[in-house]
Every structure is written in structure tokens, then in C-alpha cells.
Amino acid sequence: MVRRAREGDPRAVARLITLVENNSPRLREVMALLVSHAGAATVLGITGSPGVGKSTVTSALISALRGQGHRVGVLAVDPSSPFTGGALLGDRIRMQEHASDPEVYIRSMATRGHLGGLSAATPQAVRVLDAAGCDVVIIETVGVGQSEVEVAALADTTIVLLAPGMGDGIQAAKAGILEVGDIFGVNKADHDGADHVVRDLKSMTRMAERGPGDWREPIVATVASRGEGIAEMMEAIEKHRAWLVESGELERRRTRRIRDEIEAVALATLRRRFAGVHGDDRLDTLAGKVLLGDLDPYAAAEQIVDAVS
Amino acid sequence: MVRRAREGDPRAVARLITLVENNSPRLREVMALLVSHAGAATVLGITGSPGVGKSTVTSALISALRGQGHRVGVLAVDPSSPFTGGALLGDRIRMQEHASDPEVYIRSMATRGHLGGLSAATPQAVRVLDAAGCDVVIIETVGVGQSEVEVAALADTTIVLLAPGMGDGIQAAKAGILEVGDIFGVNKADHDGADHVVRDLKSMTRMAERGPGDWREPIVATVASRGEGIAEMMEAIEKHRAWLVESGELERRRTRRIRDEIEAVALATLRRRFAGVHGDDRLDTLAGKVLLGDLDPYAAAEQIVDAVS
């Protein structure tokens, strides 16, 4: 199956990502076989509030990337929040124009139930697509709660999308979305109020302290449904890529990402071991004792550490 | 020292909180002695962007709580972001009117360098103040980055403060601030644009799905510098407290908080053990190998788990 996935067989890729979603015990073996074939793909994160046109922009970027001959993988990650229920089906329909292209692999991924959620499952799914020969992997996720912070930690380049008429600046700044963007896209730039969103973004990015050699986030206006601004967006992505390589930031981001992944896997192993010894409700029992003042948190932690050691 | 802190001796309290800040090896012993004397205090979180008047509101709330005869502890937590440098000195000056009151304990706390940051150190500092007989502990923190999400996880009741003229709704919604509030305060309500902020908040809280019995976040307009609206804020705090108790949410929040604390301590112990075996750069070395494709993340995680077991 790994061999077929590496040859780009979409069914094999799909089955491997399902193993990731289910946090299968066979993942270990799969990752060991994939890891030496991964690392070449550029990872783009695309996030923004519902309704800004994430999937329309993604679809337009896929077309541009295909025009350059790239193989493209897309992970539409559902952070499993009650706020986003159903949104992804619509997303996938909007990307249907690429459904028959064998060089484009689009996959929705649920992360509910995966220990560690989006942060733990997504790098593994990216590795599957990377090893399957995708030159670019796009992680698309709704900017709700902490998901956009998580997606930024997983991507080489994070594009934050905004649009006018979505409660003005409010949706823009929601949940730290401005702190995670390497590139800002103002989609629906032909709608009223787009100038205002661009102006707000400009004044906000100008406020951030930057040293010489630091990246300055470009703001790109797009009308993705007509392909307008997509060439400029591609140019911004390429410029950021060049900066990442020159500044050494690419290697730093990737090393940090892998550190996080290793720690998440190690922690999951330790938690599983603890649950195996004591049952899942043991931590609640310990917390209850601390709440009553019968046990201190260090003694409780020691019981956990002893149990897994 | 623990005995003197329990009697409310401010110097003993200060020294115990310094042990927390420094993540002292003696903390374990201190927490064991304090835990059975803690649990009575109400924990209030107060957060908002710089300039909304957090310390003025806090100061006014301290006056109101002192009027009810309560002993009050305040932790002004610096999330150690470059954005907040120097802000806290101003904060403390604004709370000076309570400096000579022996029933008010105000402490700035840096969490830089504390493993786990604000999340790990703050519950321990709260426990010190709680055991020292504070009826109410206020955690005040600037809403920057993830700090307001962290503070909300530590408090029984979280008050999110906004003010007009701070870039309108943008600062309001920044970094998920709206998702963490149990009570919203619109301070500087005598300034232009305050109505607009209240209206924005109303429409946003109305959009959130609520079931019967769920808490509905009140919006309280204040001019804290003149004490206006503080009685209403106190009333909202008391109503929320009653709801927390009735709904069982208080126990759920506190159990969850202690679970997080136990897990953080356990994880810190395991990390320390790992560093003790392999040195601090071992994880970087492992990540580098995975990056090169020479090692898979599961095998790397296994090395960590084996090292601590």
C-alpha cells in the first residue's frame, strides 16, 4: 500500500490517510516507510473565517500550480467545532473542477477523536501526500478557535484570508488570525468595503515591530471566483518561499514542527500507557482528590509518572 | 514560611510566589502543605487589550470587594510578550490606592522561563493566595496571543474588557477574546463609540448558540475611573457565581483545571528526566534526523519514552 501510495495511486493515498484519521496502530510502520520519501513538498496553510472564500481561493491556486506542472495535495481539515459543521461538504463541491485531474489529490479530514487533534494528525497526513509526490500540499482550515494557530505551526507559509462585509475588522482579527499570517489575502475585492479591510490590515501590519531581514507580510487583493489577483498571490508565495530558505527560517520551522510531532507521539504513548495501567478515569479521580485537599498536585503527578515508568 | 503565609503575612506570601516564579524544587513541599487549605477562593480572570482600563476596573472591583469585607489577592500576570513590556509597572501604580490595605495583596508575576508559562505557574500562585485567606483572587492579564485563553482556563469567572476608540471591534475580537468571556465589560463608556462596542458585542453574543440553562454573557458598561457600573459588574459576577454552582460548572471547571495542572507537572517531570538522561539538545538532534528522513517520528518518540521509563 505504501509502495502504491508513493506511485501516486489515489486509493492507496486515501487508505493511508484513513489510517492517520483513525490513529491506527499500523501508523508507526507506515510512517517509518514514508519518512525517507518525504520532505520535498512545500506546505501551504490557508485559513480564514467561514464565508471569506477559502475554497474558491484554494481552487484558483490549484489551477495556477497545475499550470506550472505541479502535483497538488489538499487537506481540508475540519477542526470538529460545532461552528463548522457541514461547511466542508460545500468546500469540496467548490473544488470539484479539479476532481478529475489525477495530479490533484483533495481530501477532507476529520480530526475529532485523534489524540492531539489537528496538530497530531495533520503532519502525518501531509507526510503521506508529500511522499506520494505532491510538490505542494495545501492545508485548508476554518479559522475557528485555535485551529488557525495550529495550522500555522504546520505550514511553511500561512495565508490568512479576509473579505469585506463580514462584520468588518472583527472577523479579521478573530482568534489571533493576524498573528499567524505570512501573507494576507483580501478576497471579494470587488465588494464594498474591501479598501477598508486592506487599509485596516496595512495599519495593523505596520504596527508590528520588524527588524532588517524580517519578513513583511504582503497584502494581496483577490477576486478568486474570476481568478483576479491569483498571479500576485502566487508571486507572494514564491517570495516567501525564497525568504524562508535564505533566512534559515524554513529549516527552523520544519525542525520545530517535527519536534512537536515527536513530543506529541511520545506524550500520547505515555498517556496510553497510563490509561492502560489505571483506566481512563484515574486522572479525574486524582483531580478530585486534589480538589478536596486530600492530595497535592505533585504527588498526583508522581503517581502518573510512576505508572508509566 | 507556609504557616506565616496562611496567617496572611505578606512577606511570606511574596516569598512563596517567588518560589512559584522560579519553579523552585521546594515547590513540591510547599504545595503539599498548602493544598488542604486552598479551594475556598473565588478566582476572577480579567483580560483585555492594552489601554482598555484593566487595572482601573480591577482597582474599582477591589474597592467593592473590600466594602463587602473580603480579603483580595491580585496577580498581574505578564505573559512576557514583547508587546506588553513595561505595561505592568503602570498597572501597579494605578492600583496603588490599595497598597496600604493589609487585606489586599497585589503581585506582578513574570512567567517567562517557567516551564509551561502562565498555565503552569498561575494555578500555583492562586493556591498560595487562596491558602493565605484571600476570599477572591483576581488574575489580571493583557489579552495578547494566547494568554487570555489560558487565563480563562484558570478562572472561575472571566471578565473580558473592551473600550471604544481602540480600533473599534478589531481589538475586541482579537485572539479569541470573545470566546473566553463569561462577562463583558465596556469600559470608558462615556467616550464616543461606546454604544457601538456594546451593540457589536450584543450581536455577537446573540449569534452564539445557547441551550436552556446555558449562561448568557451579560454586557456591563462602566466608567471605572468614576466607579460607574461597578455595582452592576459585581452583580454580574455574583450571578455568574450562582450559575456556576447550580449548574455544576464550577466543579467541572475546577476539576479540569487540576487535571491540567497534574498533567503539566507530570509532563515537566518526564521532560526533565529526559533532559537529564540525554541533554537538552537531544530532541533537536532527533528532529534533525527525522527531517533528513533517517528516522521516523515514532522511533524518535520511542527513544524519548524509553529514556524516561
Side-chain angles (χ1 to χ4, degrees):
Chain A
M1 192 156 61
V2 167
R3 189 186 44 74
R4 283 194 287 120
R6 281 184 41 212
E7 289 162 2
D9 175 352
R11 279 194 305 176
V13 170
R15 286 177 64 185
L16 292 184
I17 295 182
T18 302
L19 293 182
V20 170
E21 281 187 320
N22 298 338
N23 204 12
S24 157
R26 292 168 65 200
L27 265 188
R28 206 215 130 120
E29 197 189 341
V30 170
M31 289 297 137
L33 292 167
L34 289 179
V35 72
S36 62
H37 304 285
T42 292
V43 184
L44 292 183
I46 298 187
T47 189
S49 299
V52 297
K54 279 182 302 301
S55 46
T56 315
V57 171
T58 302
S59 191
L61 287 174
I62 296 170
S63 299
L65 291 162
R66 291 294 300 124
Q68 298 178 347
H70 292 307
R71 183 181 290 183
V72 184
V74 179
L75 289 172
V77 179
D78 179 354
S80 297
S81 152
F83 297 96
T84 59
L88 287 172
L89 192 61
D91 280 6
R92 295 197 66 181
I93 290 166
R94 254 166 257 134
M95 288 189 267
Q96 277 302 320
E97 59 174 305
H98 303 287
S100 60
D101 183 340
E103 297 294 303
V104 177
Y105 187 87
I106 299 174
R107 167 72 177 236
S108 295
M109 196 169 71
T111 56
R112 189 197 296 274
H114 193 293
L115 202 64
L118 191 146
S119 309
T122 313
Q124 299 181 336
V126 169
R127 187 173 290 121
V128 171
L129 292 169
D130 185 347
C134 292
D135 304 296
V136 179
V137 177
I138 299 176
I139 308 171
E140 193 215 285
T141 194
V142 184
V144 172
Q146 302 309 309
S147 59
E148 73 287 335
V149 176
E150 292 177 344
V151 86
L154 300 170
D156 301 330
T157 299
T158 300
I159 302 169
V160 171
L161 293 180
L162 296 94
M166 312 273 308
D168 295 317
I170 288 172
Q171 42 108 18
K174 199 172 164 300
I177 219 165
L178 292 170
E179 290 166 33
V180 303
D182 297 307
I183 297 167
F184 293 105
V186 178
N187 194 35
K188 306 186 183 181
D190 54 340
H191 288 208
D192 280 353
D195 292 354
H196 186 71
V197 177
V198 171
R199 208 160 49 232
D200 272 5
L201 277 172
K202 274 191 183 153
S203 73
M204 270 183 287
T205 53
R206 224 179 281 126
M207 279 195 305
E209 282 174 46
R210 298 276 181 261
D214 283 352
W215 176 249
R216 281 168 171 74
E217 301 82 3
I219 298 160
V220 183
T222 57
V223 186
S225 56
R226 298 201 300 259
E228 289 173 25
I230 296 302
E232 288 78 6
M233 182 74 85
M234 288 291 291
E235 200 187 317
I237 292 167
E238 282 151 23
K239 271 193 188 155
H240 188 246
R241 176 83 186 173
W243 174 83
L244 283 172
V245 172
E246 274 165 38
S247 64
E249 179 67 15
L250 186 63
E251 202 186 326
R252 274 195 295 277
R253 287 189 184 192
R254 292 188 162 192
T255 303
R256 196 164 52 217
R257 201 187 304 167
I258 291 173
R259 274 187 68 126
D260 290 348
E261 187 186 358
I262 295 171
E263 282 212 324
V265 173
L267 184 59
T269 306
L270 290 167
R271 277 197 176 128
R272 210 160 34 229
R273 222 185 255 192
F274 176 69
V277 177
H278 281 304
D280 272 328
D281 58 356
R282 176 72 176 171
L283 190 54
D284 271 333
T285 310
L286 290 174
K289 282 186 186 171
V290 175
L291 193 57
L292 291 171
D294 295 339
L295 191 71
D296 72 89
Y298 285 81
E302 200 162 76
Q303 292 196 24
I304 297 186
V305 172
D306 286 348
V308 301
S309 299
Chain B
M1 193 156 62
V2 166
R3 187 184 45 75
R4 282 194 288 118
R6 279 184 44 213
E7 288 162 3
D9 174 353
R11 280 194 304 176
V13 170
R15 287 177 64 184
L16 292 183
I17 295 181
T18 302
L19 293 182
V20 170
E21 279 187 321
N22 298 338
N23 204 11
S24 157
R26 292 168 64 201
L27 266 187
R28 206 215 130 117
E29 196 189 339
V30 170
M31 289 298 138
L33 291 168
L34 289 179
V35 73
S36 62
H37 304 285
T42 292
V43 184
L44 292 183
I46 298 188
T47 190
S49 298
V52 297
K54 280 183 300 302
S55 47
T56 315
V57 171
T58 301
S59 192
L61 287 174
I62 295 171
S63 300
L65 290 162
R66 291 293 300 123
Q68 297 178 349
H70 293 307
R71 183 180 290 183
V72 184
V74 179
L75 290 171
V77 180
D78 179 355
S80 295
S81 153
F83 297 97
T84 59
L88 285 173
L89 190 61
D91 280 7
R92 293 196 69 182
I93 289 166
R94 254 166 257 134
M95 287 190 267
Q96 277 301 319
E97 58 173 306
H98 302 289
S100 60
D101 183 340
E103 297 294 303
V104 177
Y105 187 88
I106 300 174
R107 167 73 178 236
S108 296
M109 196 170 70
T111 56
R112 188 196 296 275
H114 193 293
L115 201 66
L118 190 147
S119 309
T122 313
Q124 298 181 337
V126 169
R127 187 173 291 121
V128 172
L129 292 170
D130 186 347
C134 292
D135 304 296
V136 178
V137 176
I138 300 176
I139 308 171
E140 195 216 282
T141 195
V142 184
V144 172
Q146 302 309 309
S147 60
E148 74 289 335
V149 176
E150 292 177 344
V151 86
L154 300 171
D156 301 330
T157 298
T158 301
I159 302 169
V160 171
L161 292 181
L162 297 93
M166 314 273 306
D168 294 319
I170 288 171
Q171 42 107 18
K174 197 170 166 298
I177 219 167
L178 292 169
E179 289 167 36
V180 304
D182 297 308
I183 296 167
F184 294 106
V186 179
N187 194 34
K188 306 185 184 181
D190 53 341
H191 288 208
D192 279 354
D195 291 354
H196 186 69
V197 177
V198 171
R199 208 162 47 234
D200 273 6
L201 277 171
K202 275 193 181 151
S203 73
M204 272 182 286
T205 52
R206 223 179 280 124
M207 279 194 304
E209 282 176 46
R210 297 278 181 261
D214 283 352
W215 176 248
R216 281 167 171 77
E217 300 82 3
I219 298 159
V220 182
T222 57
V223 186
S225 57
R226 298 202 299 257
E228 290 173 24
I230 297 302
E232 290 77 6
M233 182 74 85
M234 288 291 292
E235 199 186 320
I237 293 167
E238 281 150 24
K239 270 193 188 156
H240 187 247
R241 176 82 187 176
W243 174 82
L244 284 171
V245 173
E246 272 166 38
S247 64
E249 180 66 14
L250 185 63
E251 202 187 326
R252 274 195 296 277
R253 288 188 183 192
R254 294 191 159 189
T255 304
R256 195 164 54 218
R257 202 186 304 167
I258 291 173
R259 274 185 69 127
D260 290 349
E261 187 186 357
I262 295 171
E263 281 211 325
V265 173
L267 184 59
T269 305
L270 290 166
R271 277 195 177 130
R272 209 159 35 228
R273 221 183 256 194
F274 176 69
V277 176
H278 282 303
D280 270 330
D281 58 355
R282 175 70 177 172
L283 190 53
D284 271 333
T285 311
L286 290 174
K289 284 188 185 170
V290 175
L291 193 57
L292 292 171
D294 294 338
L295 190 72
D296 73 87
Y298 284 82
E302 200 161 77
Q303 290 195 26
I304 296 186
V305 171
D306 286 349
V308 301
S309 299

